[in-house]
Amino acid sequence: MNIEGSRWTPTSVYKLNYNGNNQFFIKREDLIPFSFGGNKARKAFLFFHEIDVGDYDTVVTYGSSSSNHCRVVANMAVSRGMQCVIISAEETSHPTCNSEMMRLFGAKIITCPVKIVAQTIEATLDELRCKGKRPYFIQGGGHGNLGTQAYVDCYTEIRDYEQRYHIYFDYIFHASGTGTTQAGLVCGQLIHQDERRIVGISIARKNPRGRQVVIDSIHEYLSDKEMDIPTDQIENVTEFVDTFTGDGYGHDSNEINETIRSMMTQYGIPLDSTYTGKAYTGMLKYIDQHGIQGKNILFIHTGGTPLFFDNLERGI
Ligand SMILES: *Cc1c(COP(=O)(O)O)cnc(C)c1O
């Protein structure tokens, strides 16, 4: 049986030792036990469950050469003996640890100019079907209701942890990209009507679009579940912070590198400059800027460990 055939136990939460007034905790999604874990693994488990119960022989998805999503999907596909096809924009196809692993897993990588990615996906699916294949398509980053569901599940784990250890997290921070992780966490909050702030630190997208994508995903999930939650409530709890994106997707800074060095040396926890290191740095600034004190703060480590090694190779 594949490791993903059995559910893993909830991911661990650790307390970090800070001198300041707030108590910091970190939830280690990076330790989900498949292919370096991360939020893409949590999402992919649900997609592959659908694949396993359905009638498919090929998985098609897209993402850059540094995509954690593509690495996890390629790994889950090869572990089942399924073919995996990845469409990748040639503008973002420089070799990385993730792309090396995609190669190792035998994924077929099709590169094309970013402008024709959507067309190339359609053409690839058509071609596979013409050859008698049965492809399953996963949106980039594991976007969609199943991806959202994965983080509704994670939210439930967080509540279980709180009940068990008699603690309440006033804030939850995490790196927000396509917004699916955030949408899932916020849906969890809305379903339980919990009072707290979930803050998505954008790693690239700007508002208003970035926040709107999260809100759209929330609406899509809730309407699929036939849950009726007023729009103003959804708007109130969706906080997508776009002030820490720096020079955009994948760009580091001295501050981010300092966070990565310090988290690795103090706690042995790897972060990376594209996602978790950027979000952690943004979180610390946000807390400072908003004068937050005396609170319990949970940071979700969304994974991306192979990117830490890219950082290390380039020099942190
Ligand atoms: C993809 C990714 C994110 C962003 O998740 P979304 O659900 O796309 O917002 C955050 N951290 C890591 C490490 C990722 O790979």
Side-chain angles (χ1 to χ4, degrees):
M1 190 169 73
N2 284 324
I3 186 167
E4 67 257 44
S6 55
R7 277 293 287 181
W8 66 86
T9 48
T11 55
S12 335
V13 174
Y14 293 101
K15 190 175 165 192
L16 304 174
N17 320 305
Y18 268 90
N19 296 323
N21 278 318
N22 296 300
Q23 288 203 68
F24 286 85
F25 296 80
I26 186 165
K27 184 166 171 68
R28 301 290 305 274
E29 294 286 283
D30 57 317
L31 300 181
I32 288 172
F34 190 86
S35 198
F36 299 97
N39 64 347
K40 301 314 183 305
R42 191 186 275 275
K43 296 178 196 182
F45 279 117
L46 297 188
F47 286 104
F48 275 85
H49 176 70
E50 199 164 271
I51 289 169
D52 289 343
V53 299
D55 183 23
Y56 304 100
D57 57 18
T58 311
V59 187
V60 179
T61 193
Y62 67 95
S64 71
S65 60
S66 55
S67 168
N68 295 311
H69 164 73
C70 291
R71 179 243 314 150
V72 169
V73 167
N75 203 346
M76 282 197 187
V78 72
S79 75
R80 289 165 166 74
M82 286 180 84
Q83 155 132 71
C84 177
V85 182
I86 294 167
I87 311 335
S88 199
E90 61 197 19
E91 290 84 348
T92 52
S93 59
H94 58 284
T96 68
C97 290
N98 278 332
S99 68
E100 290 301 315
M101 279 189 272
M102 292 173 217
R103 235 166 30 105
L104 176 73
F105 305 142
K108 182 176 173 193
I109 317 274
I110 299 174
T111 54
C112 66
V114 67
K115 275 193 291 206
I116 61 159
V117 162
Q119 267 169 267
T120 308
I121 291 168
E122 279 315 308
T124 305
L125 289 168
D126 284 347
E127 195 186 317
L128 285 164
R129 289 188 190 112
C130 279
K131 285 184 186 156
K133 297 278 188 194
R134 297 176 303 278
Y136 182 95
F137 176 64
I138 307 178
Q139 283 193 59
H143 195 62
N145 282 348
L146 273 182
T148 304
Q149 181 64 52
Y151 274 82
V152 173
D153 298 347
C154 176
Y155 189 86
T156 306
E157 280 184 20
I158 294 169
R159 288 191 104 235
D160 290 347
Y161 180 90
E162 289 177 321
Q163 271 156 26
R164 186 158 173 194
Y165 294 100
H166 308 291
I167 185 166
Y168 191 77
F169 299 117
D170 304 289
Y171 287 86
I172 297 174
F173 286 87
H174 66 93
S176 208
T178 67
T180 319
T181 299
Q182 183 164 4
L185 294 169
V186 171
C187 285
Q189 174 181 19
L190 288 166
I191 290 164
H192 295 285
Q193 295 285 304
D194 291 332
E195 293 280 330
R196 67 170 108 234
R197 293 307 291 175
I198 295 172
V199 186
I201 306 285
S202 174
I203 52 92
R205 283 184 184 164
K206 289 293 184 184
N207 284 327
R209 179 174 167 257
R211 177 165 176 269
Q212 194 54 50
V213 175
V214 180
I215 289 172
D216 291 348
S217 299
I218 294 169
H219 278 297
E220 209 180 303
Y221 178 85
L222 293 176
S223 85
D224 187 56
K225 297 281 171 205
E226 294 178 3
M227 278 184 245
D228 202 14
I229 291 176
T231 300
D232 61 336
Q233 225 190 86
I234 295 173
E235 303 250 341
N236 278 342
V237 293
T238 306
E239 186 166 353
F240 185 86
V241 177
D242 71 353
T243 40
F244 306 112
T245 53
D247 293 332
Y249 184 84
H251 287 278
D252 61 7
S253 69
N254 290 337
E255 266 176 322
I256 294 171
N257 287 339
E258 179 49 39
T259 300
I260 297 173
R261 277 194 298 271
S262 125
M263 289 297 283
M264 192 65 196
T265 49
Q266 279 192 70
Y267 302 110
I269 298 176
L271 302 181
D272 75 273
S273 61
T274 303
Y275 295 105
T276 52
K278 187 178 260 188
Y280 201 92
T281 309
M283 171 183 78
L284 295 179
K285 285 192 181 173
Y286 180 102
I287 286 167
D288 192 44
Q289 286 168 5
H290 289 75
I292 295 167
Q293 293 202 10
K295 301 294 185 193
N296 291 322
I297 294 165
L298 179 68
F299 180 79
I300 302 185
H301 190 317
T302 43
T305 302
L307 301 176
F308 166 82
F309 291 101
D310 291 331
N311 282 137
L312 191 65
E313 202 168 77
R314 262 185 286 151
I316 301 166

